[in-house]
Amino acid sequence: MATTSRSLADDIRGRSDAELIDLVLARPDLARPAPADLTGLAARAGTRASVQRAVEALDRGHLQVLEAVVVAGDGADRSVLLQLLGTDDTKTVETIVQDLWRSALLWRGADGDHVVRTVPEVLGAAVAGLGVPMRELRPSSPPEHADPDRIRATIAEAPDDSRAMLERMTWGPAFGVLPTAAPGRTTARWLLEHHLLVPVSTDRVAMPREVGLVLRGGRLHRVAELTPPDIEAHAVSLVDAAAGGAASECLTHVDELAAAWGADPPRVLRAGGLSVRDLRITQMALDLDPEHTAFVVELAYAAGLVADDGEVVPVWAPTSEIDEWSSSEAGHRWAALALAWLASTRAPHLVGRRSTGTGPANALGPDVQWPAIRAIRREVLRELASLEPNRAPAPASLRERLAWRRPNRTAAVLDEAVEAVLREGEWLGVTGRGALSEAGRALVAPLVPAGRGDGGGGVGVANTSNGKRAARRRGDGGSGVAAGITSTEQPAVTVETVAAAMSAHLPSPVDHILVQADLTAVAPGPLVGGLGSFMRLAADVESRGGATVYRFTPESVRRALDAGWTAADFIETVRRSSRTTLPQPLEYLVSDVARKHGQTRIGGAAAYIRSDDEAVLDTMLASRDLAPLRLRRLAPTVLVSSADPRVLVDLLRDNGFAPVHEGQDGTVVHAETPRRRAGSRRRGPGPMVSPVDRPYTQSLVDGLRAAEATADQRRVEDETRPGPRIQAMDPVVTLSLLRDAVADRHGVWIGYSDGHGATSRHLIHPQKVEGGRVRATDESGHEKSFSVHRITGATLEG
């Protein structure tokens, strides 16, 4: 690295290939799109947007050191940093400073470290809660007003009430409102007269940075937190068993969701999403609490198993992928859900919360989209993976650790998100009893070696031999800087790897049930496909857990008969599947329902009702609840109505009758469960984006080196020509160079295009860059204004 760098651009040009690769891997946004040369890379690294992404990804230790470098000033000695941080851990501070340099938040000149120009802008005026320096608050103030010894002596002479006011402002904020009462005015007046506070408006005052540092004893923070806090954890047992049970239940919930929405798909709201009413209906069908139901719905959506069908009247329906997914082995089915959850940018815990609109956020709606949840989800799983197997963290210590990792996030929002991730991990089976399961470790294994940042790295879903869907999901795109340099290169995790880790712990499917005399049947595990479909049709779920309890009811038996099952087939299927003797009450129930089933038949003429039992028809005619049907007797055994046959069937069943639908030829029309399907959400391959990994970065650096060599060769050739050569450059590079010239008060040669397209050269001394224009003095000393979009290129004078 060059030791005589004059700017960030010089510093970056002097770095080795390995250091440039580390920089791009730490801040992958610098590679998109690929810069033309190293000067362009440096200009992009100094832009506010890129610096802000990098600063927001810093952990508390790196952020504290960066703030200390800003307060200490350019070229400050390490001892000044140690004093500001209140620590003597030189090794840790040096390591963090090296990380900040490696990520181009600092650059090194002959006199020491310098912060990138936009870093103070991103941190804001109140760095670490301190105010701005005295020279900025009051430029006319003499230097002795900022002298620490003088400030310390003045504070020692301050009255008690004035000292109390200073103490309230010591740790921030450094701005205050003047009291309205006379005593408060007197206290503030003493501080203003002795230059410990500076007025910034008629009723507001500010504490200069120098005063704040003296009050803090020369330290920036109460406590230096350069290393992460430890996570308190306790041992738990049966982690994988608990995770396997939860995973099996999750698969069942998704199956039931697909069956319910395939038969009766809910409408899509005009603004997108699922209505509160439909979510409640789904909740009742799945027998879950609202938060768990929202999670299952969002999980199925993230995995591409349900979607908006795109019709004129759109509904939420299972996609064509649900059929392939349902026929897959249980481990593969779970792996698809887990990978989708890990890569999803949707936050199910926001469902029902007050959104930015007029009402609560709806499931599957736009207000549930929150990209930050993906980074939080991965950070939580990384911390769980850092613990020993079968160790569950104390939630409070985990939240404290993650707050250290992400100090720029609001504590309440972060705590809520962490709690949601832990809860969803238990529901999905990624964790069991609070500890990361074996399958969970396989899921997050590619994230762990990548360092502590969430960076731009993501989880790659590799293509598999059975032709399953493959995708590479990129990360949040944020800087990978979190605890030093973070590599964004991560190996792909395959569906097979995750599926194999979970398959061993999933309950084995069973092909039998245990029918009991109280009309219940116990499934001692997840049922095989055909038996499971039959039980969902012929019985109602009464309770879930390690075993599922079903109950046979007249309604459930009728549901099976409506679907085409005969009483004999029904009883034979139950007898064949049961390990216990078929109880007589069940046979009586099925026979009784079957005897009544179809006694009354309905057809359309508009619609007719016929029955051999005239008493049944008499009861219908006498019923007030059936009056809207306007039934009329045509014959002793025949009634007619203008209502649709399906309406007749539903209304008669609601009133205790058991009719069946009769076709035009007199045969019974069996009610098959509809199978509504939405088109696949992924109608074609998405845009192919290469990951910012080590091979890509190596190729990028090679190209930057080649471009730099070409530029050097041109500069050598131009030395023989009179005057400087001004080459065309990226506008971002031009703006960066002009701003540096303003800060350094340096002259700049620019190429300027006039209204006719002719380009001329000007030597200017920039004074200000704002609003797309440069205010500068030219060679004759006259002040002029230049439009930035007309500047074709620039180079420093001399």
Side-chain angles (χ1 to χ4, degrees), residues 568-613:
D569 291 339
F570 188 108
I571 293 175
E572 179 59 28
T573 300
V574 176
R575 178 181 287 110
R576 186 174 60 249
S577 304
S578 177
R579 291 288 177 87
T580 58
T581 304
L582 190 69
Q584 283 189 336
L586 179 59
E587 295 189 58
Y588 292 157
L589 173 65
V590 175
S591 299
D592 186 55
V593 174
R595 178 176 55 81
K596 297 178 181 178
H597 187 263
Q599 284 185 348
T600 304
R601 303 193 175 195
I602 299 174
Y608 64 85
I609 304 174
R610 70 179 182 87
S611 175
D612 294 333
D613 190 345

Side-chain angles (χ1 to χ4, degrees), residues 716-739:
V716 172
E717 294 175 356
D718 289 342
E719 289 180 356
T720 59
R721 300 177 184 175
R725 179 181 182 274
I726 305 174
Q727 60 180 359
M729 59 177 56
D730 190 296
V732 175
V733 180
T734 303
L735 280 172
S736 177
L737 188 147
L738 291 172
R739 290 194 178 102

Side-chain angles (χ1 to χ4, degrees), residues 152-366:
R152 196 173 293 108
T154 304
I155 293 175
E157 300 173 355
D160 292 341
D161 53 353
S162 298
R163 185 187 296 273
M165 182 177 288
L166 289 177
E167 289 175 354
R168 287 196 296 270
M169 300 176 67
T170 296
W171 295 102
F175 295 88
V177 179
L178 286 174
T180 56
R185 287 278 183 178
T186 303
T187 301
R189 186 179 298 112
W190 191 95
L191 297 173
L192 292 170
E193 290 173 352
H194 290 78
H195 311 291
L196 297 180
L197 296 180
V198 176
V200 293
S201 67
T202 57
D203 62 343
R204 292 181 180 273
V205 293
M207 177 185 288
R209 179 175 296 175
E210 295 83 357
V211 177
L213 280 174
V214 170
L215 290 169
R216 295 183 182 190
R219 293 179 290 117
L220 280 184
H221 307 91
R222 287 188 172 94
V223 179
E225 300 177 84
L226 304 183
T227 56
D230 294 331
I231 298 179
E232 299 176 7
H234 59 278
V236 292
S237 58
L238 303 176
V239 171
D240 291 323
S248 178
E249 287 189 16
C250 184
L251 296 178
T252 300
H253 296 326
V254 175
D255 278 333
E256 293 177 351
L257 175 71
W261 284 12
D264 187 16
R267 294 275 294 273
V268 178
L269 294 175
R270 181 176 300 178
L274 184 70
S275 71
V276 175
R277 174 180 175 274
D278 288 326
L279 181 63
R280 188 177 297 112
I281 293 173
T282 303
Q283 174 192 342
M284 295 173 63
L286 300 182
D287 192 23
L288 300 173
D289 57 62
E291 294 80 9
H292 200 166
T293 303
F295 168 70
V296 173
V297 169
E298 288 287 348
L299 180 64
Y301 177 75
L305 302 180
V306 298
D308 178 345
D309 67 351
E311 298 295 334
V312 176
V313 180
V315 297
W316 294 108
T319 66
S320 56
E321 295 176 9
I322 191 71
D323 300 309
E324 179 185 356
W325 179 83
S326 298
S327 62
S328 301
E329 186 266 332
H332 283 77
R333 297 168 67 202
W334 182 86
L337 296 179
L339 289 168
W341 174 73
L342 185 63
S344 174
T345 56
R346 299 185 63 81
H349 72 280
L350 298 180
V351 173
R353 308 291 177 85
R354 181 66 59 178
S355 67
T356 55
T358 58
N362 294 96
L364 304 180

Side-chain angles (χ1 to χ4, degrees), residues 524-582:
L527 297 174
V528 294
L531 181 56
S533 299
F534 171 76
M535 291 302 297
R536 282 194 294 271
L537 175 67
D540 297 325
V541 176
E542 191 166 83
S543 65
R544 293 186 175 89
T548 303
V549 179
Y550 296 89
R551 177 169 292 279
F552 295 101
T553 65
E555 290 76 16
S556 68
V557 174
R558 179 188 54 76
R559 194 166 59 229
L561 297 179
D562 286 344
W565 288 78
T566 65
D569 291 339
F570 188 108
I571 293 175
E572 179 59 28
T573 300
V574 176
R575 178 181 287 110
R576 186 174 60 249
S577 304
S578 177
R579 291 288 177 87
T580 58
T581 304
L582 190 69

Side-chain angles (χ1 to χ4, degrees), residues 65 87 89-99 226-227:
V65 173
T87 181
D89 191 351
T90 306
K91 182 178 179 181
T92 299
V93 172
E94 189 63 39
T95 300
I96 293 177
V97 170
Q98 181 69 12
D99 288 343
L226 304 183
T227 56

Side-chain angles (χ1 to χ4, degrees), residues 651-711:
L651 196 52
L652 289 175
R653 286 174 177 169
D654 290 343
N655 284 272
F657 299 96
V660 295
H661 194 176
E662 187 175 79
Q664 294 182 356
D665 57 355
T667 60
V668 175
V669 178
H670 296 296
E672 295 185 3
T673 302
R675 291 166 56 88
R676 184 71 173 264
R677 293 290 182 264
S680 174
R681 284 195 293 138
R682 300 170 177 83
R683 300 186 182 277
M688 298 300 294
V689 180
S690 301
V692 183
D693 53 12
R694 188 165 292 275
Y696 173 85
T697 307
Q698 180 66 64
S699 175
L700 175 66
V701 170
D702 291 343
L704 295 176
R705 286 294 188 199
E708 196 69 16
T710 301

Side-chain angles (χ1 to χ4, degrees), residues 9 44 66 78 88 157 215 236 343 409 427 723 780:
R44 190 175 298 170
L66 182 62
R78 288 290 182 270
D88 57 359
E157 300 173 355
L215 290 169
V236 292
R409 291 203 180 277
W427 288 338
S780 60

